[in-house]
Amino acid sequence: MPRAILSFIAGLIIAGIAIGFTQRLNLTPYPIPAGIDTNDSVSLKKYRALIPIGGLLLILVVRVVDVFIGALATAVIAPRSAYISCTGVGRIILAKSACAMITIGTPTWF
């Protein structure tokens, strides 16, 4: 049981690192324009309206990869409880992504 808990925490940390890294990679083809305040949700909504469809799809692909990396880490650390730990990591990242989508807003097709 302690190994399962530690694997869950490690999976969240590794997924968080992967999210930070992949978000920086996502800003390479679609940089934030000057004048956009990333701490202001209204400003971020304006920026989101400027992102092409390819950029939004890239965000979706990046989230899937990040969840996979976090789940893989939990499965490697604690293979006996991999199902529970992996789904837990996926649920936490899904909740985080849903909060971001509610705050910033997304297109209806997304």
Side-chain angles (χ1 to χ4, degrees), residues 16-94:
I17 292 169
I19 288 170
F21 180 72
T22 53
Q23 281 181 346
R24 282 189 176 39
L25 286 178
N26 195 19
L27 291 175
T28 302
Y30 306 105
I32 297 176
I36 299 292
D37 182 15
T38 56
N39 296 321
D40 181 26
S41 64
V42 175
S43 182
L44 284 175
K45 286 180 183 181
K46 290 178 185 176
Y47 170 61
R48 196 244 340 129
L50 300 173
I51 299 175
I53 292 174
L56 293 173
L57 290 176
L58 186 59
I59 292 170
L60 183 64
V61 169
V62 161
R63 287 290 182 229
V64 170
V65 169
D66 295 337
V67 169
F68 177 75
I69 290 170
L72 182 65
T74 62
V76 167
I77 294 170
R80 288 187 191 173
S81 61
Y83 178 76
I84 295 171
S85 299
C86 292
T87 55
V89 169
R91 289 177 183 174
I92 296 290
I93 303 238
L94 176 67

